[in-house]
Amino acid sequence: MTEPARPDGQLPDIVPGSGLPRTGDGTLPAVRPLPVRKFADLLPPAARPATHRAPAAEPTPAGPPADQAERREEHAHVHTIVRMVGLAAFESISGVRPVHQLARWLEAGQYEKLRCRVALVAATQPDDGSRLHRNTAIRRTRLCPVGAGAYEASLVVAENDRVRAAALRVERRHGHWTVVELQIG
């Protein structure tokens, strides 16, 4: 945020410690506080506590309120699927979960790639029991709609000794959501 140059060529007077220019009367300019976001506002409507009321949403030109509610519900549903499939994939790679549990959620080619990766990891690591306690947890999820019935997501997943990333593309196929692309870093 820059202020236009003064005709006399001098820089604006800055209030010490604030980095803000003084106004004509020597006071600080009014600064609007940032809105406070509560954790409960981020939960899907079904998971919110009964006593909590979400702030009123600003109307958008995207469509009628019923359409917006359906999109929010779909977004929350896909978000849950992405977190579940991502966590299960990392648990399969670490040897905690059988990979066949993901067959329903992954496209056939993606399932086969994951199954091969799990087999390779299992063949290269010694079976000393250390793989069973990886404490895999999802730290962050980003979900972005990319088209009608298609979302792309990124995950940050933490294990005991490392943090990893994953990217997923989820599409609605034959009436249910399927992961059509899964990249694990």
Side-chain angles (χ1 to χ4, degrees), residues 65-88:
D67 229 17
Q68 293 174 3
E70 287 176 16
R71 273 189 294 243
R72 280 194 303 268
E73 186 177 322
E74 178 180 277
H75 190 317
H77 183 69
V78 173
H79 187 266
T80 303
I81 290 170
V82 163
R83 290 180 63 91
M84 178 191 67
V85 171
L87 183 63

Side-chain angles (χ1 to χ4, degrees), residues 70 73-75 77-78 81 147-151 169-180:
E70 287 176 16
E73 186 177 322
E74 178 180 277
H75 190 317
H77 183 69
V78 173
I81 290 170
Y151 287 84
R169 181 177 174 94
V170 184
E171 294 179 0
R172 182 185 293 273
R173 295 208 175 155
H174 307 293
H176 73 273
W177 293 97
T178 304
V179 176
V180 296

Side-chain angles (χ1 to χ4, degrees), residues 58-137:
E58 296 179 11
T60 60
D67 229 17
Q68 293 174 3
E70 287 176 16
R71 273 189 294 243
R72 280 194 303 268
E73 186 177 322
E74 178 180 277
H75 190 317
H77 183 69
V78 173
H79 187 266
T80 303
I81 290 170
V82 163
R83 290 180 63 91
M84 178 191 67
V85 171
L87 183 63
F90 278 100
E91 288 175 347
S92 294
I93 290 172
S94 67
V96 177
R97 177 185 298 269
V99 72
H100 68 82
Q101 290 182 359
L102 289 165
R104 183 220 185 278
W105 298 102
L106 297 174
E107 189 179 46
Q110 296 301 312
Y111 173 73
E112 190 60 30
K113 281 175 38 179
L114 182 64
R115 192 187 62 73
C116 289
R117 184 168 180 171
V118 167
L120 285 172
V121 169
T124 59
Q125 291 185 351
D127 191 17
D128 60 356
S130 64
R131 291 179 8 189
L132 295 177
H133 303 289
R134 296 293 290 258
N135 295 328
T136 307

